[in-house]
Amino acid sequence: ERAKHETSLCQQRAGLWLQGITPWPQPPDPLDLGFQCQITWTGRLPVQGAILAGDGSGGKHTSDPVLRRCGFGLACILPHPNGYNFDYLGYSFGSTPGKQTVPRAEATAILQALRHTRGNAIFICDNLGVASCFNKGPRHSPPANGLLWHAINLARSARLEAGHGFLEVVWM
């Protein structure tokens, strides 16, 4: 599997050089779960009763897997009882681990929320596939993006076992 990936990368890089484009020195490893992120809070953010909204996006070069880069965003708000106002709790954003696709970026936002918040909260996701996959439960691991979903399921189980509450993922 890794040998096929390396051969494919070499072919893609050769095509970039012929176009006069310098490839990234180190393209993301599709099997790597590491990613860079920024968080505006320390520890686990208390989000009991809050609304978390996650999103993923891709930048330029969406048709080129070597140049494409995707990222996630996560916003946390606490609605006021009057239904009109809310308190801003914090946000996080960062890169997408492994293969650069928007569904992986969307799923990374959920992973970030699971790892860095505590309390029962609603997580709003605008990707039906990602929301459906999460709502199938922690034992469900789809063949596509399986390693990332495995990390999500581990974080989900660890969150519950540690008493940090659960996230209800809602598609919007």
Side-chain angles (χ1 to χ4, degrees), residues 57-97:
S57 67
K60 300 189 303 183
H61 310 293
T62 57
S63 63
D64 191 327
V66 175
L67 294 178
R68 176 178 49 227
R69 294 295 179 265
C70 297
F72 75 91
L74 171 65
C76 308
I77 62 169
L78 184 63
H80 284 196
N82 67 16
Y84 295 104
N85 301 320
F86 62 87
D87 289 327
Y88 165 76
L89 301 176
Y91 66 89
S92 175
F93 63 92
S95 65
T96 301

mmCIF file of all heavy atoms in Angstrom, residues 57-97:
data_model
loop_
_atom_site.group_PDB
_atom_site.id
_atom_site.type_symbol
_atom_site.label_atom_id
_atom_site.label_comp_id
_atom_site.label_asym_id
_atom_site.label_seq_id
_atom_site.Cartn_x
_atom_site.Cartn_y
_atom_site.Cartn_z
ATOM 1 N N SER A 57 -13.217 22.827 4.783
ATOM 2 C CA SER A 57 -13.182 23.415 3.445
ATOM 3 C C SER A 57 -11.861 23.093 2.774
ATOM 4 O O SER A 57 -10.867 22.769 3.435
ATOM 5 C CB SER A 57 -13.394 24.928 3.513
ATOM 6 O OG SER A 57 -12.295 25.529 4.148
ATOM 7 N N GLY A 58 -11.867 23.207 1.466
ATOM 8 C CA GLY A 58 -10.665 23.004 0.666
ATOM 9 C C GLY A 58 -10.327 24.289 -0.056
ATOM 10 O O GLY A 58 -11.207 25.101 -0.343
ATOM 11 N N GLY A 59 -9.078 24.468 -0.329
ATOM 12 C CA GLY A 59 -8.634 25.700 -0.973
ATOM 13 C C GLY A 59 -8.498 25.556 -2.472
ATOM 14 O O GLY A 59 -9.199 24.770 -3.105
ATOM 15 N N LYS A 60 -7.572 26.323 -3.033
ATOM 16 C CA LYS A 60 -7.323 26.252 -4.468
ATOM 17 C C LYS A 60 -6.803 24.860 -4.827
ATOM 18 O O LYS A 60 -6.405 24.094 -3.967
ATOM 19 C CB LYS A 60 -6.275 27.290 -4.878
ATOM 20 C CG LYS A 60 -6.672 28.715 -4.580
ATOM 21 C CD LYS A 60 -5.717 29.720 -5.177
ATOM 22 C CE LYS A 60 -4.301 29.537 -4.725
ATOM 23 N NZ LYS A 60 -3.370 30.534 -5.222
ATOM 24 N N HIS A 61 -6.780 24.581 -6.078
ATOM 25 C CA HIS A 61 -6.214 23.329 -6.609
ATOM 26 C C HIS A 61 -6.994 22.106 -6.119
ATOM 27 O O HIS A 61 -6.405 21.073 -5.818
ATOM 28 C CB HIS A 61 -4.740 23.182 -6.234
ATOM 29 C CG HIS A 61 -3.913 24.388 -6.545
ATOM 30 N ND1 HIS A 61 -3.660 24.806 -7.827
ATOM 31 C CD2 HIS A 61 -3.301 25.275 -5.728
ATOM 32 C CE1 HIS A 61 -2.910 25.895 -7.794
ATOM 33 N NE2 HIS A 61 -2.687 26.206 -6.530
ATOM 34 N N THR A 62 -8.311 22.201 -6.041
ATOM 35 C CA THR A 62 -9.097 21.089 -5.503
ATOM 36 C C THR A 62 -8.987 19.824 -6.339
ATOM 37 O O THR A 62 -9.191 18.736 -5.823
ATOM 38 C CB THR A 62 -10.582 21.475 -5.381
ATOM 39 O OG1 THR A 62 -11.064 21.877 -6.660
ATOM 40 C CG2 THR A 62 -10.775 22.584 -4.368
ATOM 41 N N SER A 63 -8.650 19.939 -7.624
ATOM 42 C CA SER A 63 -8.558 18.741 -8.452
ATOM 43 C C SER A 63 -7.168 18.106 -8.413
ATOM 44 O O SER A 63 -6.972 17.042 -8.984
ATOM 45 C CB SER A 63 -8.932 19.069 -9.897
ATOM 46 O OG SER A 63 -8.002 20.005 -10.422
ATOM 47 N N ASP A 64 -6.207 18.732 -7.751
ATOM 48 C CA ASP A 64 -4.853 18.201 -7.696
ATOM 49 C C ASP A 64 -4.545 17.712 -6.285
ATOM 50 O O ASP A 64 -4.369 18.510 -5.367
ATOM 51 C CB ASP A 64 -3.845 19.285 -8.105
ATOM 52 C CG ASP A 64 -2.458 18.721 -8.322
ATOM 53 O OD1 ASP A 64 -2.093 17.747 -7.620
ATOM 54 O OD2 ASP A 64 -1.748 19.238 -9.181
ATOM 55 N N PRO A 65 -4.453 16.376 -6.084
ATOM 56 C CA PRO A 65 -4.261 15.848 -4.735
ATOM 57 C C PRO A 65 -2.912 16.214 -4.109
ATOM 58 O O PRO A 65 -2.755 16.133 -2.898
ATOM 59 C CB PRO A 65 -4.387 14.334 -4.913
ATOM 60 C CG PRO A 65 -4.146 14.089 -6.349
ATOM 61 C CD PRO A 65 -4.572 15.330 -7.083
ATOM 62 N N VAL A 66 -1.940 16.630 -4.909
ATOM 63 C CA VAL A 66 -0.649 17.019 -4.359
ATOM 64 C C VAL A 66 -0.688 18.449 -3.827
ATOM 65 O O VAL A 66 -0.121 18.756 -2.783
ATOM 66 C CB VAL A 66 0.476 16.862 -5.411
ATOM 67 C CG1 VAL A 66 1.792 17.376 -4.882
ATOM 68 C CG2 VAL A 66 0.608 15.403 -5.811
ATOM 69 N N LEU A 67 -1.373 19.337 -4.530
ATOM 70 C CA LEU A 67 -1.437 20.742 -4.127
ATOM 71 C C LEU A 67 -2.572 21.059 -3.170
ATOM 72 O O LEU A 67 -2.514 22.020 -2.415
ATOM 73 C CB LEU A 67 -1.577 21.634 -5.356
ATOM 74 C CG LEU A 67 -0.394 21.674 -6.311
ATOM 75 C CD1 LEU A 67 -0.719 22.567 -7.489
ATOM 76 C CD2 LEU A 67 0.855 22.152 -5.605
ATOM 77 N N ARG A 68 -3.634 20.256 -3.203
ATOM 78 C CA ARG A 68 -4.836 20.549 -2.421
ATOM 79 C C ARG A 68 -4.531 20.508 -0.922
ATOM 80 O O ARG A 68 -3.864 19.618 -0.423
ATOM 81 C CB ARG A 68 -5.908 19.512 -2.751
ATOM 82 C CG ARG A 68 -7.159 19.664 -1.931
ATOM 83 C CD ARG A 68 -8.238 18.660 -2.298
ATOM 84 N NE ARG A 68 -7.748 17.308 -2.368
ATOM 85 C CZ ARG A 68 -8.015 16.469 -3.363
ATOM 86 N NH1 ARG A 68 -8.765 16.841 -4.357
ATOM 87 N NH2 ARG A 68 -7.537 15.247 -3.341
ATOM 88 N N ARG A 69 -5.039 21.488 -0.188
ATOM 89 C CA ARG A 69 -4.954 21.521 1.261
ATOM 90 C C ARG A 69 -6.335 21.854 1.819
ATOM 91 O O ARG A 69 -7.031 22.722 1.306
ATOM 92 C CB ARG A 69 -3.949 22.572 1.751
ATOM 93 C CG ARG A 69 -2.515 22.262 1.374
ATOM 94 C CD ARG A 69 -2.037 20.989 2.081
ATOM 95 N NE ARG A 69 -0.682 20.637 1.740
ATOM 96 C CZ ARG A 69 -0.331 19.770 0.776
ATOM 97 N NH1 ARG A 69 -1.247 19.191 0.050
ATOM 98 N NH2 ARG A 69 0.922 19.493 0.557
ATOM 99 N N CYS A 70 -6.717 21.145 2.862
ATOM 100 C CA CYS A 70 -8.024 21.350 3.487
ATOM 101 C C CYS A 70 -7.830 21.664 4.958
ATOM 102 O O CYS A 70 -6.810 21.326 5.554
ATOM 103 C CB CYS A 70 -8.882 20.095 3.340
ATOM 104 S SG CYS A 70 -9.262 19.669 1.629
ATOM 105 N N GLY A 71 -8.816 22.300 5.538
ATOM 106 C CA GLY A 71 -8.758 22.634 6.953
ATOM 107 C C GLY A 71 -10.129 22.590 7.588
ATOM 108 O O GLY A 71 -11.148 22.468 6.906
ATOM 109 N N PHE A 72 -10.143 22.669 8.921
ATOM 110 C CA PHE A 72 -11.403 22.624 9.661
ATOM 111 C C PHE A 72 -11.535 23.869 10.524
ATOM 112 O O PHE A 72 -10.563 24.552 10.828
ATOM 113 C CB PHE A 72 -11.460 21.375 10.559
ATOM 114 C CG PHE A 72 -10.604 21.493 11.781
ATOM 115 C CD1 PHE A 72 -11.114 21.995 12.968
ATOM 116 C CD2 PHE A 72 -9.263 21.117 11.753
ATOM 117 C CE1 PHE A 72 -10.319 22.129 14.087
ATOM 118 C CE2 PHE A 72 -8.463 21.240 12.867
ATOM 119 C CZ PHE A 72 -8.990 21.750 14.035
ATOM 120 N N GLY A 73 -12.766 24.146 10.916
ATOM 121 C CA GLY A 73 -13.058 25.210 11.871
ATOM 122 C C GLY A 73 -14.084 24.702 12.862
ATOM 123 O O GLY A 73 -14.921 23.866 12.527
ATOM 124 N N LEU A 74 -14.013 25.189 14.080
ATOM 125 C CA LEU A 74 -14.943 24.800 15.132
ATOM 126 C C LEU A 74 -15.276 26.043 15.947
ATOM 127 O O LEU A 74 -14.372 26.739 16.407
ATOM 128 C CB LEU A 74 -14.293 23.738 16.036
ATOM 129 C CG LEU A 74 -15.017 23.358 17.320
ATOM 130 C CD1 LEU A 74 -16.352 22.690 17.021
ATOM 131 C CD2 LEU A 74 -14.137 22.444 18.165
ATOM 132 N N ALA A 75 -16.557 26.355 16.082
ATOM 133 C CA ALA A 75 -16.998 27.502 16.882
ATOM 134 C C ALA A 75 -17.908 26.996 17.997
ATOM 135 O O ALA A 75 -18.704 26.076 17.791
ATOM 136 C CB ALA A 75 -17.748 28.502 16.013
ATOM 137 N N CYS A 76 -17.798 27.599 19.175
ATOM 138 C CA CYS A 76 -18.581 27.189 20.343
ATOM 139 C C CYS A 76 -19.334 28.406 20.889
ATOM 140 O O CYS A 76 -18.714 29.415 21.232
ATOM 141 C CB CYS A 76 -17.666 26.641 21.429
ATOM 142 S SG CYS A 76 -16.542 25.350 20.871
ATOM 143 N N ILE A 77 -20.664 28.286 20.972
ATOM 144 C CA ILE A 77 -21.490 29.369 21.502
ATOM 145 C C ILE A 77 -22.472 28.801 22.528
ATOM 146 O O ILE A 77 -22.845 27.633 22.463
ATOM 147 C CB ILE A 77 -22.261 30.128 20.400
ATOM 148 C CG1 ILE A 77 -23.228 29.199 19.665
ATOM 149 C CG2 ILE A 77 -21.308 30.805 19.428
ATOM 150 C CD1 ILE A 77 -24.197 29.908 18.747
ATOM 151 N N LEU A 78 -22.886 29.647 23.460
ATOM 152 C CA LEU A 78 -23.868 29.260 24.468
ATOM 153 C C LEU A 78 -25.074 30.187 24.323
ATOM 154 O O LEU A 78 -24.970 31.383 24.602
ATOM 155 C CB LEU A 78 -23.270 29.378 25.874
ATOM 156 C CG LEU A 78 -24.163 28.920 27.019
ATOM 157 C CD1 LEU A 78 -24.473 27.422 26.894
ATOM 158 C CD2 LEU A 78 -23.488 29.200 28.358
ATOM 159 N N PRO A 79 -26.214 29.635 23.877
ATOM 160 C CA PRO A 79 -27.403 30.483 23.692
ATOM 161 C C PRO A 79 -27.944 30.999 25.026
ATOM 162 O O PRO A 79 -27.895 30.307 26.035
ATOM 163 C CB PRO A 79 -28.425 29.541 23.048
ATOM 164 C CG PRO A 79 -27.677 28.331 22.635
ATOM 165 C CD PRO A 79 -26.447 28.256 23.471
ATOM 166 N N HIS A 80 -28.455 32.225 25.006
ATOM 167 C CA HIS A 80 -29.126 32.786 26.177
ATOM 168 C C HIS A 80 -30.542 32.228 26.246
ATOM 169 O O HIS A 80 -31.125 31.866 25.222
ATOM 170 C CB HIS A 80 -29.207 34.307 26.061
ATOM 171 C CG HIS A 80 -27.913 34.989 26.345
ATOM 172 N ND1 HIS A 80 -27.827 36.327 26.610
ATOM 173 C CD2 HIS A 80 -26.641 34.529 26.421
ATOM 174 C CE1 HIS A 80 -26.571 36.660 26.816
ATOM 175 N NE2 HIS A 80 -25.842 35.589 26.702
ATOM 176 N N PRO A 81 -31.123 32.195 27.431
ATOM 177 C CA PRO A 81 -32.496 31.692 27.560
ATOM 178 C C PRO A 81 -33.511 32.487 26.737
ATOM 179 O O PRO A 81 -34.546 31.959 26.352
ATOM 180 C CB PRO A 81 -32.790 31.826 29.052
ATOM 181 C CG PRO A 81 -31.461 31.828 29.720
ATOM 182 C CD PRO A 81 -30.524 32.467 28.737
ATOM 183 N N ASN A 82 -33.218 33.768 26.431
ATOM 184 C CA ASN A 82 -34.178 34.565 25.663
ATOM 185 C C ASN A 82 -34.271 34.124 24.199
ATOM 186 O O ASN A 82 -35.165 34.552 23.479
ATOM 187 C CB ASN A 82 -33.859 36.058 25.752
ATOM 188 C CG ASN A 82 -32.541 36.425 25.068
ATOM 189 O OD1 ASN A 82 -31.985 35.666 24.272
ATOM 190 N ND2 ASN A 82 -32.038 37.602 25.391
ATOM 191 N N GLY A 83 -33.340 33.273 23.761
ATOM 192 C CA GLY A 83 -33.390 32.753 22.399
ATOM 193 C C GLY A 83 -32.833 33.678 21.335
ATOM 194 O O GLY A 83 -32.792 33.310 20.156
ATOM 195 N N TYR A 84 -32.418 34.868 21.709
ATOM 196 C CA TYR A 84 -31.943 35.827 20.716
ATOM 197 C C TYR A 84 -30.439 36.066 20.790
ATOM 198 O O TYR A 84 -29.820 36.431 19.812
ATOM 199 C CB TYR A 84 -32.666 37.171 20.874
ATOM 200 C CG TYR A 84 -34.134 37.069 20.582
ATOM 201 C CD1 TYR A 84 -35.064 37.054 21.618
ATOM 202 C CD2 TYR A 84 -34.588 36.973 19.274
ATOM 203 C CE1 TYR A 84 -36.417 36.957 21.354
ATOM 204 C CE2 TYR A 84 -35.939 36.869 19.004
ATOM 205 C CZ TYR A 84 -36.842 36.856 20.045
ATOM 206 O OH TYR A 84 -38.182 36.747 19.788
ATOM 207 N N ASN A 85 -29.865 35.938 21.956
ATOM 208 C CA ASN A 85 -28.455 36.260 22.142
ATOM 209 C C ASN A 85 -27.672 34.999 22.499
ATOM 210 O O ASN A 85 -28.250 33.970 22.850
ATOM 211 C CB ASN A 85 -28.284 37.301 23.249
ATOM 212 C CG ASN A 85 -29.032 38.572 22.949
ATOM 213 O OD1 ASN A 85 -29.062 39.039 21.827
ATOM 214 N ND2 ASN A 85 -29.670 39.127 23.971
ATOM 215 N N PHE A 86 -26.365 35.107 22.439
ATOM 216 C CA PHE A 86 -25.519 33.995 22.837
ATOM 217 C C PHE A 86 -24.190 34.527 23.355
ATOM 218 O O PHE A 86 -23.795 35.650 23.064
ATOM 219 C CB PHE A 86 -25.281 33.019 21.676
ATOM 220 C CG PHE A 86 -24.558 33.633 20.505
ATOM 221 C CD1 PHE A 86 -23.170 33.661 20.461
ATOM 222 C CD2 PHE A 86 -25.270 34.165 19.439
ATOM 223 C CE1 PHE A 86 -22.501 34.223 19.386
ATOM 224 C CE2 PHE A 86 -24.606 34.721 18.360
ATOM 225 C CZ PHE A 86 -23.211 34.744 18.330
ATOM 226 N N ASP A 87 -23.530 33.702 24.154
ATOM 227 C CA ASP A 87 -22.176 33.992 24.614
ATOM 228 C C ASP A 87 -21.211 33.198 23.752
ATOM 229 O O ASP A 87 -21.419 32.003 23.499
ATOM 230 C CB ASP A 87 -21.988 33.583 26.084
ATOM 231 C CG ASP A 87 -22.739 34.483 27.025
ATOM 232 O OD1 ASP A 87 -22.864 35.690 26.718
ATOM 233 O OD2 ASP A 87 -23.204 33.990 28.079
ATOM 234 N N TYR A 88 -20.191 33.865 23.331
ATOM 235 C CA TYR A 88 -19.145 33.229 22.539
ATOM 236 C C TYR A 88 -18.183 32.535 23.496
ATOM 237 O O TYR A 88 -17.662 33.153 24.414
ATOM 238 C CB TYR A 88 -18.452 34.321 21.718
ATOM 239 C CG TYR A 88 -17.150 33.924 21.129
ATOM 240 C CD1 TYR A 88 -17.093 33.096 20.015
ATOM 241 C CD2 TYR A 88 -15.956 34.359 21.688
ATOM 242 C CE1 TYR A 88 -15.892 32.729 19.480
ATOM 243 C CE2 TYR A 88 -14.746 33.994 21.150
ATOM 244 C CZ TYR A 88 -14.718 33.170 20.051
ATOM 245 O OH TYR A 88 -13.521 32.802 19.527
ATOM 246 N N LEU A 89 -17.962 31.230 23.320
ATOM 247 C CA LEU A 89 -17.095 30.470 24.219
ATOM 248 C C LEU A 89 -15.672 30.300 23.683
ATOM 249 O O LEU A 89 -14.731 30.275 24.452
ATOM 250 C CB LEU A 89 -17.701 29.091 24.499
ATOM 251 C CG LEU A 89 -19.089 29.086 25.138
ATOM 252 C CD1 LEU A 89 -19.607 27.660 25.276
ATOM 253 C CD2 LEU A 89 -19.044 29.773 26.488
ATOM 254 N N GLY A 90 -15.529 30.136 22.391
ATOM 255 C CA GLY A 90 -14.198 29.953 21.814
ATOM 256 C C GLY A 90 -14.266 29.332 20.435
ATOM 257 O O GLY A 90 -15.340 28.973 19.943
ATOM 258 N N TYR A 91 -13.102 29.209 19.812
ATOM 259 C CA TYR A 91 -13.031 28.585 18.496
ATOM 260 C C TYR A 91 -11.707 27.863 18.348
ATOM 261 O O TYR A 91 -10.753 28.064 19.097
ATOM 262 C CB TYR A 91 -13.218 29.614 17.384
ATOM 263 C CG TYR A 91 -12.099 30.627 17.287
ATOM 264 C CD1 TYR A 91 -10.973 30.381 16.506
ATOM 265 C CD2 TYR A 91 -12.168 31.835 17.967
ATOM 266 C CE1 TYR A 91 -9.949 31.311 16.418
ATOM 267 C CE2 TYR A 91 -11.152 32.765 17.888
ATOM 268 C CZ TYR A 91 -10.042 32.493 17.104
ATOM 269 O OH TYR A 91 -9.024 33.410 17.029
ATOM 270 N N SER A 92 -11.674 26.992 17.362
ATOM 271 C CA SER A 92 -10.469 26.256 17.014
ATOM 272 C C SER A 92 -10.451 26.106 15.499
ATOM 273 O O SER A 92 -11.504 26.042 14.857
ATOM 274 C CB SER A 92 -10.491 24.876 17.691
ATOM 275 O OG SER A 92 -9.388 24.103 17.289
ATOM 276 N N PHE A 93 -9.258 26.040 14.933
ATOM 277 C CA PHE A 93 -9.123 25.800 13.498
ATOM 278 C C PHE A 93 -7.787 25.129 13.254
ATOM 279 O O PHE A 93 -6.892 25.163 14.107
ATOM 280 C CB PHE A 93 -9.233 27.108 12.703
ATOM 281 C CG PHE A 93 -8.149 28.099 13.018
ATOM 282 C CD1 PHE A 93 -6.970 28.125 12.289
ATOM 283 C CD2 PHE A 93 -8.306 29.008 14.050
ATOM 284 C CE1 PHE A 93 -5.968 29.030 12.583
ATOM 285 C CE2 PHE A 93 -7.317 29.927 14.354
ATOM 286 C CZ PHE A 93 -6.135 29.939 13.615
ATOM 287 N N GLY A 94 -7.666 24.506 12.099
ATOM 288 C CA GLY A 94 -6.391 23.856 11.810
ATOM 289 C C GLY A 94 -6.404 23.057 10.529
ATOM 290 O O GLY A 94 -7.342 23.120 9.729
ATOM 291 N N SER A 95 -5.345 22.295 10.362
ATOM 292 C CA SER A 95 -5.155 21.502 9.154
ATOM 293 C C SER A 95 -5.908 20.183 9.253
ATOM 294 O O SER A 95 -6.432 19.819 10.306
ATOM 295 C CB SER A 95 -3.657 21.246 8.941
ATOM 296 O OG SER A 95 -3.150 20.448 9.993
ATOM 297 N N THR A 96 -5.952 19.487 8.156
ATOM 298 C CA THR A 96 -6.602 18.185 8.078
ATOM 299 C C THR A 96 -5.526 17.111 8.043
ATOM 300 O O THR A 96 -4.581 17.223 7.268
ATOM 301 C CB THR A 96 -7.466 18.094 6.805
ATOM 302 O OG1 THR A 96 -8.433 19.152 6.860
ATOM 303 C CG2 THR A 96 -8.177 16.775 6.692
ATOM 304 N N PRO A 97 -5.652 16.061 8.862
ATOM 305 C CA PRO A 97 -4.646 15.008 8.833
ATOM 306 C C PRO A 97 -4.785 14.122 7.598
ATOM 307 O O PRO A 97 -5.885 13.911 7.097
ATOM 308 C CB PRO A 97 -4.936 14.212 10.104
ATOM 309 C CG PRO A 97 -6.391 14.406 10.338
ATOM 310 C CD PRO A 97 -6.691 15.804 9.854
#
